[in-house]
């Protein structure tokens, strides 16, 4: 019989037996027809691809990630990851939803339509991540908006539910109503979770409400407790360490986990890679290539109830990658729906048609120039003397901060933070709603000189400026305002690096390699300013993340995350 | 916090770790809230059940079976299996669909509504099992009817697709259109298969069309090939043998299989049991109790995409069984949705409200009395001499028959089969459509004396009579006609045993134990008449099954199953 493509003599990953098997793979009408050797002679292929000595795997599937973390548009992002063997992603557009609401989600869906990669969406259910009392966002998704969005095509799940405090403590809250809606009206969709440190009866209550995955940083005990309670674990880079891998291997827990990238910034993507990087890392740390393949293809597909992919078997989508080497994970060819979309040796047709977002997405920073007097830190209660301040200590290797208490001298009502090792942090509401400004103090693994300003700030994406002097802070902030979004570093009045994020203040419309290079310059300039952190851009972006313990800053004030309240700078 | 029931100190089966764990189980609003020990003190239970030294498991789930095989109504059947620890079934009502069409399926759904057991339905997609050319059925389900039925509540899947011959050979056949409809319109439902002996490219084509399970008798090679191609294997009694279990154990294939009962007749159900029997048998043959639990709860739930059950974990339905002993599988208590529905030691509320079927279901045998002259086997072409006849040889241990060629003497156009060791088989169309009568010959493992008549004849359920003499055949057939359905055995003009099946000619409205006893008498009388078969009732019922090789009989004639054609008695 006629088939479109026959890939011959490869070592094909069979997920059911968890092993590579010598076989030919026949493709018909975008799907796999036959995998085997015995009956290949009955096939008349239009095209033959020789895969002798090579490995054939399903395209990788990343089920927990945010395209916005790459700061690229879906189309640009897709073109990059297809080369790395990723053919399906589930992206949760909660960054753009925080800026643009329902329209942001719909525009991301539209912008994903012509991507080579299949882009599914998790509907953001915590926009804002906390409540309107703790942060001002550009968009708010309530019950009605979520109900509306869940009905869209290419929805895979309810995106990460993170407000576990409200769920566990308050009955009939917005959280309860959202979960009830999804469990009852859309039972076909998984409900994704975000629940660091939750345990015991609290964890059970969380799962009881239908949230049965977690992608946050895992401890071994936490992971085991989650699996025992029926949770699927999405292991991201932070969690992928030798101790955890030992447990996965010794207890054979691969049914219950997948590798996911969550947030990969452009410079990291262009440098070390994406899910392909996690595959390599997993193998280098002692997971067999078979199990690494399993948890980047089969288990993520199953978790998202994608019955049509994730295995090389008859009837499944012909999303296939040919790999030279399983340790280096060098992708030679990528097929999507049976079509060759990437090849190291052949040219592939690619239609470059970058989708445009609506006009107002390019004018989303509703701020005029700021001035130094907006950054003056004062206290009306003390004229001269000292005050005890809540200071946010930023830590390397994590998004968590430590709340410190520090004495700072006051002179004529001005808090003289410049005399200390602290930095000033300011958040300007930029969605054109409240015009709030919050001032706070930070220390620890952050910059030591100059200033940095950014509109890429989880999750509210207001303008955050952190600096050691007001002049640099004003320059950095105004540069970002001028370009309608982005990140800018400044020292001694000079701009060190700058990445424009002109779409909703969080995405660039430039090609991926350019975003990567510009962001890398930003990272280097941050390092240069003394930012001692494994990922300074993400660290900076999470200074405002009010669901990540313990002390964070939003336009509404300093947030005590564990208590879910606004606290004053001065104790 | 308040909980409804707390089951304390049990050994709880955790499917994720595949082991029993010492824990308490708390139930709230019909679902499991908490499984553990550490935080039990935070719970205020309304009721406590002590499970010290006992095992707690999810209720068993049987995903491939036909209620009609028990010859009981859903309600009666449910009351029996709940005692055996089964709490969810997926029944495919293709027997009643063959008699009553869409209405039969809808009435089975209605009759299942108030059952303690959750009854899901697989929509029969092969009614008739072959084509209207090969058999006359009371009901026919076409594309439109299947589309209509798939939209009903409590549908779990497209029921067993069995017409693989048509699918593989003919493009744009009814089979293709049905599968296309389901794949495109109802992708959330699995498509169940029936494909004995299929292999290689043919098997791949079958799976390519979306059918990815098989519940027929498995060989080891066949099972491995199926799993490798992405099929889920439903292991029924016939397949559960030491060799197959060795392979499951050594290759750890438990992710890809479940135990299912398919057809269990009333006498077997009341004697050895149902899915509980398969659990015990599996354990006795060397599957660990943990794996036996896994493939009777977790994997069947997953296969049917029942995300709400099949594990003891927070948020899942509180379908729980308490068991004294895992080898004997003695069920002490069954909870359904948190409610105690069976207990060995306590009385449970049960509302007996046997649902009535519509009036015309009780008058479904559209035949008047038959007479001996309708059974005279003649040939117009030969007056005196011999003819070579196709004879259906019935074999023990299988539903397959062997076609034999036998010479029989002819005198004055009458074929003198009485002189041979053959029996006469007659099929009377009984749905009031064609009034067809087919006469044929049988030998082998069947009765040797007297006669038996039955309207329980797969899948068309016409009236089949087999006998050694015409008198007994007429008496048996007329008794079954008189009672509007059933099975009746006769010898020397005397009725030996009789089971009335007054609902659609295939179900009884009597209590389960009475059906069991009466059917047992039928079985014993068949044995007494020399029927040498491990299950004579099922063997008799499959003499008419035109999808089971090789030579079968319907009202349209003798069927050459492998060629899908009607063949003449005389060669």
């Amino acid at each position: 019989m006629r088939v479109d493509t026959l890939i011959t003599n490869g070592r094909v990953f069979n997920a059911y037996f968890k092993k590579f098997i010598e076989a030919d793979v026949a493709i018909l009408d975008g799907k796999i027809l036959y995998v085997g050797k015995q009956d290949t002679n009955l096939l008349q292929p239009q095209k033959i691809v020789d895969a002798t000595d090579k490995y054939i795997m399903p395209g990788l599937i990343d089920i927990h990630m945010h395209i916005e973390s790459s700061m690229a548009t879906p189309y640009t992002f897709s073109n990059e990851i297809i080369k790395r063997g990723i053919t399906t992603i589930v992206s949760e557009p909660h960054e753009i939803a925080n800026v643009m609401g329902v329209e942001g989600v719909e525009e991301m869906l539209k912008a994903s339509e012509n991507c080579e990669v299949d882009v599914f969406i998790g509907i953001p259910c915590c926009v804002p991540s906390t409540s309107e009392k703790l942060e001002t966002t550009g968009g708010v998704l309530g019950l009605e908006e979520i109900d509306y969005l869940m009905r869209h095509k290419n929805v895979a799940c309810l995106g990460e539910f993170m407000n576990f405090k409200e769920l566990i403590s308050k009955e009939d809250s917005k959280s309860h109503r959202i979960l009830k809606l999804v469990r009852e009206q859309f039972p076909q969709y998984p409900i994704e979770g975000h629940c660091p440190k939750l345990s015991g009866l609290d964890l059970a209550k969380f799962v009881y409400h239908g949230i049965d995955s977690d992608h946050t940083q895992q401890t071994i005990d936490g992971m085991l407790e989650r699996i025992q309670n029926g949770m699927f674990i999405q292991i991201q880079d932070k969690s992928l360490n030798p101790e955890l891998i030992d447990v996965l291997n010794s207890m054979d827990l691969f049914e219950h986990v997948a590798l996911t990238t969550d947030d990969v910034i452009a410079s990291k993507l262009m440098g070390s890679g994406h899910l392909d990087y996690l595959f390599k890392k997993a193998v280098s740390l002692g997971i067999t290539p078979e199990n690494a393949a399993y948890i980047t293809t089969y288990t993520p597909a199953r978790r998202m109830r994608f019955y049509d992919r994730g295995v090389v078997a008859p009837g499944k989508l012909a999303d296939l990658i040919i790999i030279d080497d399983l340790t280096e994970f060098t992708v030679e060819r990528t097929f999507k729906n049976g079509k060759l979309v990437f090849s190291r040796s052949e040219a592939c047709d690619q239609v470059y048609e970058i989708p445009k977002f609506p006009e107002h997405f390019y004018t989303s920073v509703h701020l005029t120039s700021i001035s130094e007097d907006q950054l003056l830190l004062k206290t009306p209660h003390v004229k001269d003397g000292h005050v005890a301040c809540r200071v946010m200590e930023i830590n390397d290797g994590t998004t968590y901060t430590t709340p410190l208490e520090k004495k700072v001298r006051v002179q004529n009502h001005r808090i003289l933070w410049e005399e200390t090792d602290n930095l000033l942090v300011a958040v300007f509401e930029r969605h054109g709603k409240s015009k709030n400004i919050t001032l706070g103090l930070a220390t620890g693994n952050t910059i030591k000189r100059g200033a940095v300003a950014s509109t890429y700030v989880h999750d509210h994406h207001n303008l955050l400026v952190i600096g050691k002097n007001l002049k640099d802070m004003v320059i950095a902030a105004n540069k970002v305002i001028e370009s309608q979004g982005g990140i800018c570093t400044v020292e001694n009045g000079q701009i060190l690096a700058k990445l424009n994020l002109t779409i909703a203040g969080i995405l660039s419309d430039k090609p991926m390699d350019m975003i990567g290079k510009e962001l890398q310059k930003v990272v280097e300039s941050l390092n240069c300013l003394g930012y001692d952190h494994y990922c300074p851009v993400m660290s900076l972006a999470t200074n405002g993340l009010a669901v990540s313990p313990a002390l964070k800053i939003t336009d509404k004030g300093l947030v005590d995350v564990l208590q879910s309240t606004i606290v004053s700078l001065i104790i």
Side-chain angles (χ1 to χ4, degrees), chain A:
Chain A
M1 73 180 287
R2 181 193 65 79
V3 296
D4 300 325
T5 305
L6 183 70
I7 309 174
T8 57
N9 300 317
R11 297 166 193 153
V12 182
F13 182 61
N14 183 279
Y16 309 108
F17 293 152
K18 282 193 194 167
K19 66 178 186 189
F20 287 89
I21 293 171
E22 302 265 337
D24 305 322
V25 180
I27 299 172
L28 176 65
D29 296 335
K31 294 194 297 181
I32 296 158
L33 171 73
Y34 176 72
V35 185
K37 280 267 170 208
Q38 212 181 306
D39 285 354
T40 303
N41 61 319
L42 302 175
L43 304 170
Q44 285 97 45
Q46 307 276 354
K47 195 183 164 184
I48 293 178
V49 176
D50 178 39
T52 306
D53 294 334
K54 299 190 198 300
Y55 300 89
I56 300 172
M57 273 178 54
L60 304 193
I61 300 174
D62 189 354
I63 59 169
H64 184 86
M65 53 84 64
H66 310 276
I67 292 179
E68 297 103 306
S69 300
S70 73
M71 299 173 191
T73 57
Y75 189 82
T76 309
F77 181 74
S78 160
N79 284 345
E80 179 57 33
I81 61 169
I82 207 93
K83 301 179 207 162
R84 301 178 176 277
I86 299 130
T87 51
T88 297
I89 58 174
V90 179
S91 176
E92 204 227 28
H94 82 220
E95 311 308 344
I96 205 156
N98 269 279
V99 182
M100 291 294 178
V102 168
E103 195 189 5
V105 178
E106 289 188 295
E107 287 300 326
M108 284 300 266
L109 274 164
K110 253 192 243 170
S112 302
E113 272 168 16
N114 294 319
C115 293
E116 301 282 16
V117 167
D118 276 341
V119 181
F120 291 88
I121 291 277
I123 300 302
C125 62
C126 294
V127 179
S129 67
T130 54
S131 77
E132 289 166 71
K133 279 181 206 158
L134 299 185
E135 56 189 313
T136 304
T137 54
V140 174
L141 299 188
L143 210 63
E144 211 175 298
E145 289 80 11
I146 290 170
D147 184 49
Y148 168 74
L149 287 171
M150 288 296 289
R151 294 168 201 280
H152 278 58
K153 218 183 107 193
N154 290 340
V155 168
C157 61
L158 186 73
E160 57 181 302
F161 181 92
M162 52 180 99
N163 201 344
F164 52 87
K165 211 178 154 62
E166 183 180 273
L167 183 70
I168 286 165
S169 54
K170 287 182 211 157
E171 283 194 17
D172 200 39
S173 60
K174 177 183 164 193
S175 293
H176 280 94
R177 290 197 303 275
I178 289 172
L179 291 174
K180 192 163 177 281
L181 167 80
V182 176
R183 286 201 322 269
E184 289 174 6
Q185 298 293 314
F186 309 99
Q188 70 274 34
Y189 293 124
I191 303 177
E192 297 289 279
H194 169 117
C195 58
K197 299 190 179 179
L198 210 60
S199 176
L201 185 58
D202 282 347
L203 180 69
K205 285 186 203 170
F206 195 68
V207 184
Y208 180 82
H209 283 98
I211 310 149
D212 60 355
S213 77
D214 185 26
H215 66 274
T216 62
Q217 191 164 2
Q218 300 295 320
T219 61
I220 288 166
D221 286 347
M223 178 179 76
L224 292 179
E225 191 186 5
R226 279 161 176 67
I227 292 175
Q228 187 171 324
N229 277 277
M231 278 190 148
F232 186 81
I233 303 299
Q234 291 152 357
I235 300 175
Q236 53 167 288
D237 197 7
K238 279 190 284 193
S239 301
L240 199 59
N241 58 55
E243 295 73 32
L244 193 120
I245 286 177
D246 267 358
V247 174
L248 292 178
N249 280 330
S250 63
M251 293 183 68
D252 192 12
L253 295 175
F254 297 99
E255 295 302 325
H256 311 297
V257 302
L259 299 181
T260 51
T261 60
D262 202 1
D263 298 297
V264 177
I265 63 170
S267 51
K268 181 127 195 257
L269 170 59
M270 298 308 288
S272 46
H274 201 253
L275 190 55
D276 55 326
Y277 161 73
L278 290 186
F279 185 105
K280 276 188 284 190
K281 182 177 170 189
V283 171
S284 76
L285 290 175
I287 289 183
T288 62
E290 288 81 1
N291 277 328
Y294 199 65
I295 63 176
T296 48
T297 59
Y298 186 70
T299 62
R302 191 169 65 188
R303 166 67 191 163
M304 280 298 146
R305 302 169 191 178
F306 295 152
Y307 304 111
D308 59 353
R309 66 191 73 200
V311 268
V312 187
K316 305 294 175 187
L317 293 181
D319 295 357
L320 296 168
I321 53 179
I322 301 181
I323 298 171
D324 281 338
D325 179 294
L326 289 174
T327 313
E328 285 305 312
F329 204 81
T330 334
V331 178
E332 204 201 61
R333 279 188 172 87
T334 306
F335 293 87
K336 181 75 191 80
N337 300 332
K339 182 188 146 203
L340 186 70
V341 289
F342 168 72
S343 167
R344 256 179 221 291
S345 49
E346 282 175 67
C348 303
D349 296 341
Q350 271 187 329
V351 191
Y352 279 97
E353 207 186 299
I354 298 176
K356 267 281 186 199
F357 286 82
E359 226 20 81
H360 62 284
F361 277 56
Y362 298 85
T363 57
S364 71
V365 180
H366 300 275
L367 284 170
T368 47
S369 289
I370 67 157
S371 59
E372 280 190 33
D373 50 311
Q374 290 175 287
L375 295 173
L376 291 178
L377 195 60
K378 291 178 181 173
T379 169
H381 308 297
V382 180
K383 184 160 186 272
D384 294 292
H386 285 85
V387 284
C389 295
R390 283 191 175 85
V391 177
M392 180 166 83
E393 186 189 36
I394 297 160
N395 304 309
D396 188 16
T398 174
T399 59
Y400 302 163
T401 64
T402 315
L404 300 179
E405 194 181 316
K406 287 204 179 181
K407 279 215 159 148
V408 186
R409 192 157 73 87
V410 179
Q411 193 177 52
N412 196 21
H413 296 290
R414 263 214 66 201
I415 300 171
L416 301 176
W417 61 270
E418 296 94 331
E419 293 181 0
T420 67
D421 62 354
N422 300 316
L423 291 105
L424 184 69
V425 199
V427 174
F428 293 82
E429 194 278 322
R430 64 104 165 170
H431 304 294
K433 287 185 170 177
S434 68
K435 310 261 176 197
N436 287 333
I437 302 171
T438 297
L439 299 178
L441 296 174
T443 187
N445 299 96
T446 178
I447 55 170
K448 308 287 178 293
R449 300 179 302 283
V452 55
S454 176
T455 48
Y456 191 93
V457 177
H458 292 299
D459 281 339
H460 45 76
H461 300 293
N462 286 304
L463 174 66
L464 183 141
V465 202
I466 180 164
K468 198 62 204 162
N469 69 80
L470 300 191
K471 271 202 171 57
D472 287 347
M473 287 175 79
V474 166
I475 295 171
N478 285 339
K479 258 298 164 211
V480 168
I481 293 168
E482 186 187 305
S483 57
Q484 280 295 306
I487 313 176
C488 179
T489 53
V490 174
E491 189 179 17
N492 300 326
Q494 299 297 314
I495 291 168
L496 302 182
K498 190 161 162 287
L499 169 67
N500 291 343
L501 299 170
T502 51
I503 303 168
I506 55 172
L507 299 181
S508 163
D509 53 9
K510 293 200 180 154
M512 199 72 239
D513 56 343
M514 207 179 286
I515 304 173
K517 275 179 203 153
E518 290 186 4
L519 190 64
Q520 186 53 31
K521 278 190 194 154
V522 171
V523 171
E524 283 162 15
S525 68
L526 285 167
N527 290 145
C528 192
L529 293 174
Y531 210 130
D532 179 24
H533 195 285
Y534 85 105
C535 185
V537 167
M538 201 46 72
S539 168
L540 180 71
T542 57
N543 287 344
L545 183 58
V547 284
S548 161
L551 186 67
K552 293 293 166 85
I553 186 167
T554 74
D555 67 301
K556 298 271 185 174
L558 293 175
V559 180
D560 178 334
V561 175
L562 297 173
Q563 298 302 319
S564 290
T565 51
I566 296 290
V567 291
S568 60
L569 174 67
I570 294 160
I571 303 168

